[in-house]
Amino acid sequence: MESEKGAILMRRIKQLPAIETKRSCNGENNKSTETREEEPLSPAARLFHEPNFNVYIIAIIGCKTPIYPEVVKANFVHTLLKHPRFSSLQVSDGDMKWVRTTVDLEKHVIVPELNPNMNSPDKFVEDYVYNLSKTGIDKSQPLWDLHLLNVVTSDSEAVGIFRAHHSLGDGTSLMSLLLACTRQINHPEALPTIPVMKKRRIQHNTKYYAVFWRVVVGFWSVFQLFWNSMVNIIMFMATALFLKDTDNPFKGPPGLEFTPRRFVHRTVSLDDFKLVKNEMNTTINDVALGITQAGLSRYMNRIYGGSKKDEEPSEMKNNLPKNIRLRSALLINLRPSGIQALADMMEKDSKAKWGNWIGYVLLPFNIAIRDDPLDYVREAKAIVDRKKHSLEAIFTFSISEIVLKLFGIKAASSISHKILSRTTMSFSNIVGPLEEIAYYGHPLAYLAASSYGLPHVSNVNLF
């Protein structure tokens, strides 16, 4: 009965119009041309090959059905393998270059034999990802792989673990590419829809006093942009030179980039976030940062108070040291990376913007005990608003490019590593789809992304 259901599901998956593509790649004719195509790695891509900056991105994909490896492999031929970065070697002959090659999917899609009656499937998946973070990918092949675990966990029927070296692209590009391989469940031909920020329509008043106030507001806005940018740039330069975060329970010793990581994900209600967002006239990001500040503050208050893990923290007594400096390195994507553009690139060999276009923003967290929990959200909004009205991300991206070109990879790697190691944690968020989606016909239960190879104990990633 189970095998019959599996056969039916496989036929249904293969018949989905969204992923049914004619075999037009003609691998035999392209082998000779592919191996001759060469392109130098960008400076940012080479940066991620430095020993202290060897970063991998991981996406854990929970599915509502068992995963059929042959279906995934068959669709990779018409999607992911058409992307030049995922079908190229990184060859070093003085300068590192992309060299197109023929991809052996058997080496990239790993399907281990598992015991269906294991005692703790959730712990097994956590340990599996932990062990992956101890290793890298052999440079004799394109630097990505996919591990398919057909094991039933508490929140999925099977788990896929997609891993890619950061030199292939930034987190936004890689996650957008992953989503470009999915389709809406209710509309199998349609790509997922990503929410976009709606611009407010401003009605201009032509009366002289209205024009005067618009000019005043414009000058004030420019002054704020200049002031915020100057303050943030000075803090960034000070961090690169000497300014460190206060020693705290979340700040680890040197050499953290070489240690394996535990990845834990939790699913929270977006409706709860929206409730707070709408009542306080903020954004989802403001609410997420406020919750993170509250969690860090209460945890550290418990630790400094000497409470044990299972003890309830005292809300009345403040055990926190004064003037804690705790900052997160927030990575900002500086160019749009649309799902549709990447889907067209894989299907029609069109061009899409790709690469590591990221800037750093140093985001301070106010570690304190507040009587009103919503104060954490208010403080987060105030900090984020100042960061939004600043050129910090553009400056940090530009200065990295200048250092790379003038002083080389070693100098750029050293500066980037100092800035990250002198902060406490990293924080990132990527907007997810509005609809329920399926990955090559496999309905998704969740999608959790993170990374390893950074000099931080804690990475907080929202999706």
Side-chain angles (χ1 to χ4, degrees):
M1 187 66 179
E2 290 297 326
S3 59
E4 182 179 351
K5 287 182 179 180
I8 294 173
L9 181 58
M10 287 189 68
R11 287 198 298 271
R12 181 174 64 83
I13 291 172
K14 290 180 179 180
Q15 291 170 356
L16 285 175
I19 58 175
E20 186 178 20
T21 312
K22 292 183 179 179
R23 295 182 177 270
S24 57
C25 57
N26 196 7
E28 291 298 326
N29 294 335
N30 288 339
K31 283 182 182 178
S32 60
T33 57
E34 284 179 349
T35 54
R36 287 199 300 265
E37 292 181 13
E38 294 186 2
E39 180 185 347
L41 267 71
S42 68
R46 285 187 284 129
L47 178 66
F48 285 107
H49 282 285
E50 288 300 296
N52 59 357
F53 230 70
N54 191 26
V55 183
Y56 283 85
I57 294 174
I58 276 187
I60 304 172
I61 309 165
C63 295
K64 296 180 180 179
T65 63
I67 300 175
Y68 294 91
E70 297 307 318
V71 174
V72 175
K73 293 177 187 178
N75 283 282
F76 269 176
V77 173
H78 308 298
T79 53
L80 197 66
L81 298 193
K82 284 194 169 185
H83 192 294
R85 294 292 179 264
F86 288 81
S87 55
S88 296
L89 301 175
Q90 297 183 19
V91 178
S92 177
D93 56 354
D95 292 329
M96 297 191 72
K97 298 178 180 179
W98 299 102
V99 179
R100 293 295 291 267
T101 187
T102 302
V103 178
D104 182 1
L105 282 176
E106 298 302 321
K107 294 182 179 179
H108 291 270
V109 181
I110 294 93
V111 188
E113 294 185 6
L114 305 177
N115 177 13
N117 300 317
M118 65 178 64
N119 294 328
S120 179
D122 293 271
K123 184 66 165 56
F124 171 81
V125 173
E126 182 182 329
D127 290 341
Y128 192 96
V129 181
Y130 170 77
N131 289 325
L132 273 185
S133 72
K134 297 178 180 179
T135 65
I137 299 175
D138 191 343
K139 292 183 180 180
S140 64
Q141 63 187 48
L143 298 180
W144 65 272
D145 56 22
L146 175 66
H147 300 251
L148 302 180
L149 311 179
N150 275 311
V151 55
V152 179
T153 66
S154 58
D155 46 14
S156 65
E157 294 294 314
V159 176
I161 304 163
F162 181 79
R163 178 173 60 161
H165 194 266
H166 213 315
S167 61
L168 270 64
D170 56 44
T172 299
S173 294
L174 292 171
M175 293 306 296
S176 297
L177 181 67
L178 189 61
L179 290 176
C181 297
T182 67
R183 295 295 183 268
Q184 297 181 28
I185 290 179
N186 293 334
H187 303 282
E189 295 184 7
L191 287 165
T193 304
I194 300 297
V196 294
M197 185 72 70
K198 294 181 180 179
K199 295 183 178 180
R200 296 182 179 180
R201 301 182 66 179
I202 302 175
Q203 295 182 352
H204 295 289
N205 194 328
T206 57
K207 295 182 178 181
Y208 72 92
Y209 58 84
V211 174
F212 170 76
W213 280 113
R214 283 207 304 273
V215 172
V216 171
V217 170
F219 273 112
W220 177 246
S221 179
V222 171
F223 174 76
Q224 282 186 313
L225 178 66
F226 173 78
W227 177 256
N228 291 338
S229 299
M230 286 301 298
V231 171
N232 292 333
I233 289 170
I234 290 172
M235 291 298 293
F236 182 86
M237 298 300 293
T239 302
L241 295 173
F242 62 88
L243 189 63
K244 297 180 181 180
D245 281 6
T246 309
D247 288 336
N248 62 76
F250 286 94
K251 190 167 176 55
L256 282 170
E257 61 270 27
F258 305 112
T259 60
R261 302 302 169 90
R262 289 282 177 184
F263 297 86
V264 179
H265 74 272
R266 292 292 181 268
T267 302
V268 296
S269 172
L270 187 59
D271 291 335
D272 292 341
F273 276 67
K274 289 181 178 178
L275 177 63
V276 178
K277 162 189 169 293
N278 295 333
E279 289 294 325
M280 301 188 66
N281 192 27
T282 62
T283 66
I284 294 293
N285 287 343
D286 296 335
V287 178
L289 285 170
I291 291 173
T292 304
Q293 279 193 149
L296 291 173
S297 298
R298 296 189 177 193
Y299 177 81
M300 291 176 66
N301 187 52
R302 185 175 64 194
I303 295 298
Y304 282 115
S307 300
K308 296 180 180 179
K309 184 177 180 180
D310 56 351
E311 289 182 359
E312 192 69 24
S314 172
E315 300 298 335
M316 300 300 294
K317 186 177 180 181
N318 187 346
N319 304 305
L320 294 171
K322 293 182 179 180
N323 302 322
I324 294 178
R325 183 189 299 114
L326 192 155
R327 295 170 298 170
S328 169
L330 180 64
L331 304 182
I332 303 294
N333 175 48
L334 295 178
R335 53 96 177 90
S337 182
I339 295 177
Q340 183 65 57
L342 292 171
D344 291 342
M345 179 186 67
M346 292 186 292
E347 183 178 349
K348 306 171 186 176
D349 295 327
S350 63
K351 297 293 183 181
K353 292 183 177 181
W354 189 261
N356 285 282
W357 291 37
I358 49 180
Y360 295 103
V361 168
L362 301 183
L363 189 69
F365 285 109
N366 291 327
I367 302 301
I369 298 300
R370 307 297 184 197
D371 294 330
D372 183 359
L374 295 180
D375 284 343
Y376 293 108
V377 180
R378 296 185 183 99
E379 291 172 352
K381 174 177 170 53
I383 294 171
V384 171
D385 285 347
R386 289 195 296 270
K387 292 293 181 177
K388 287 179 179 177
H389 206 56
S390 166
L391 301 177
E392 181 180 3
I394 296 174
F395 169 82
T396 55
F397 173 76
S398 301
I399 199 67
S400 298
E401 291 287 297
I402 292 172
V403 171
L404 276 168
K405 292 177 181 178
L406 294 181
F407 303 103
I409 294 295
K410 298 294 183 183
S413 172
S414 176
I415 291 175
S416 297
H417 185 268
K418 285 180 180 178
I419 291 170
L420 292 176
S421 61
R422 287 171 179 166
T423 57
T424 300
M425 59 189 300
S426 57
F427 192 100
S428 66
N429 66 302
I430 300 176
V431 178
L434 295 173
E435 309 86 5
E436 291 192 18
I437 57 175
Y439 183 66
Y440 298 137
H442 303 84
L444 297 193
Y446 65 85
L447 179 58
S450 191
S451 62
Y452 65 91
L454 292 173
H456 287 142
V457 172
S458 302
N459 300 334
V460 179
N461 309 91
L462 303 178
F463 185 84

